[in-house]
Amino acid sequence: MLTDTAYFPQEAKVIAQIAAGIFIGQKLTRSDVIHLKYVIKPTLLLLVILTINTFILGFAFSYFFHWNVLTGLLATTPGGLMDTTLIAADFDSEIHIVAIMQLVRSVGVLLLFPTWIKLFSAEEVQEPVAENTESASKKQPLNKKHFLIVMLVGISGGLLGYFLGFPAGTLSLSLLFSALFKLRTNINAFPIQIRQFAQILAGSMVGSSFTRGVAASLRIFFLPALLLIAVYLLISYLYAQINKRKGWLDFTSALFASCPAGATDIALLSAEYGVNMNSVAMIQIARLIHAVGIMPLLYQLVSFFL
């Protein structure tokens, strides 16, 4: 904005997408897949609700706030800020709008969600389990050979997706290759620094899309951002009520499972509430994979009719 000059190379975007895809794929474990059968109904219910909500809000926002349709859909997608922004770069969308809406949604939900939980949950706060804290504090040394293999597999998938040319193909196929390799070998060798490097690239990409005109228009995002947060909190409550009545998940666990914020942030927050951590984590991972791997295919279908 100071210089009104910025350039972000295509190659850097591809690198960021591959790194993000490998990271998400490496988070999937065999125990997650095994545990999936216990949460398949609440998971499918949430994915259907979020998909319908994204299309309703996306089309509504594009109509009332004069965004193009793909911008509206991506701005209301319940995925991660970096992942969704990287996908937006592959579509005919306004990246700065997607980034602002995703950032406000993530921060706003995280700020309001603890109060939201206390309003409707009768669960007593419990102390974090000592075993989890202890095991989390032990860092395994990085196996360089495994790291190189994981990177080779993920890069192969990402490049395949890139050369196939469909939107979000780089991110989706690097994620798919990484996840399948992880499930087949149980090898986990992806240092957090690579994820941080991808975040730096994604942040640079978003920053380069901000102009003086964009900065001057920030005030227009207050109303859509407020509506987006309110709708997602309402969905979380309704989803928890359905799960409680069906006996699938307890009310508090369902609230955490449906919270559209970062999976890591929700996991850390839920540790204080004595919820079903496995179910919450599995549903959160499914939400993230759905937003990154499935939703872009639906957006591509929509783009054919625009």
Side-chain angles (χ1 to χ4, degrees):
M1 288 186 292
L2 292 175
T3 66
D4 207 27
T5 304
Y7 170 71
F8 191 84
Q10 171 76 13
E11 294 80 7
K13 183 190 76 173
V14 173
I15 292 171
Q17 289 176 323
I18 290 175
I22 297 173
F23 179 79
I24 297 171
Q26 284 283 289
K27 292 173 69 175
L28 192 65
T29 64
R30 293 175 181 175
S31 61
D32 291 333
V33 176
I34 294 172
H35 188 73
L36 181 61
K37 63 182 180 181
Y38 300 108
V39 293
I40 188 66
K41 290 181 179 179
T43 299
L44 290 176
L45 174 65
L46 181 63
L47 297 184
V48 169
I49 291 175
L50 291 179
T51 301
I52 294 173
N53 176 70
T54 296
F55 276 88
I56 292 176
L57 281 183
F59 279 101
F61 282 9
S62 67
Y63 178 78
F64 288 107
F65 301 114
H66 308 292
W67 303 342
N68 67 52
V69 172
L70 290 173
T71 297
L73 292 173
L74 286 157
T76 55
T77 299
L81 168 62
M82 184 184 78
D83 311 317
T84 307
T85 305
L86 288 171
I87 292 171
D90 277 357
F91 284 92
D92 181 22
S93 64
E94 298 166 278
I95 299 177
H96 66 279
I97 294 179
V98 176
I100 291 172
M101 291 295 291
Q102 289 290 338
L103 177 62
V104 172
R105 188 257 303 164
S106 298
V107 174
V109 169
L110 282 176
L111 287 175
L112 295 175
F113 197 71
T115 303
W116 192 249
I117 285 285
K118 291 175 183 177
L119 281 176
F120 300 109
S121 173
E123 296 285 343
E124 296 183 358
V125 177
Q126 299 182 0
E127 293 295 327
V129 180
E131 294 180 1
N132 292 341
T133 306
E134 185 177 338
S135 61
S137 63
K138 294 180 180 179
K139 294 183 178 179
Q140 298 293 332
L142 177 66
N143 186 310
K144 294 181 180 179
K145 179 181 177 181
H146 288 170
F147 167 68
L148 291 175
I149 296 174
V150 168
M151 290 300 293
L152 180 61
V153 170
I155 291 172
S156 299
L159 291 178
L160 176 62
Y162 174 74
F163 288 116
L164 288 176
F166 63 90
T170 305
L171 181 62
S172 300
L173 289 192
S174 63
L175 187 160
L176 177 63
F177 276 45
S178 175
L180 291 177
F181 180 76
K182 174 69 180 299
L183 294 175
R184 179 67 179 84
T185 64
N186 205 31
I187 290 177
N188 184 11
F190 192 83
I192 190 63
Q193 289 83 0
I194 302 296
R195 168 70 171 183
Q196 292 167 341
F197 176 65
Q199 289 176 318
I200 290 172
L201 290 179
S204 301
M205 182 186 69
V206 174
S208 67
S209 71
F210 276 76
T211 63
R212 294 170 186 173
V214 172
S217 66
L218 285 178
R219 64 182 182 276
I220 69 174
F221 293 102
F222 177 77
L223 180 58
L226 187 64
L227 289 173
L228 185 65
I229 293 172
V231 168
Y232 272 119
L233 289 177
L234 178 60
I235 286 176
S236 178
Y237 172 75
L238 294 175
Y239 175 77
Q241 286 285 11
I242 294 173
N243 275 271
K244 181 180 178 181
R245 293 182 181 180
K246 294 288 186 179
W248 294 338
L249 290 173
D250 65 87
F251 190 83
T252 308
S253 294
L255 282 176
F256 277 107
S258 59
C259 180
T264 302
D265 303 319
I266 293 302
L268 293 173
L269 186 61
S270 65
E272 302 179 4
Y273 284 83
V275 302
N276 189 329
M277 294 283 291
N278 286 336
S279 296
V280 170
M282 188 65 246
I283 296 175
Q284 284 285 342
I285 291 173
R287 173 182 65 83
L288 180 59
I289 293 175
H290 177 73
V292 173
I294 305 300
M295 296 294 282
L297 299 178
L298 299 179
Y299 302 156
Q300 176 66 9
L301 183 63
V302 170
S303 68
F304 287 141
F305 298 96
L306 296 179

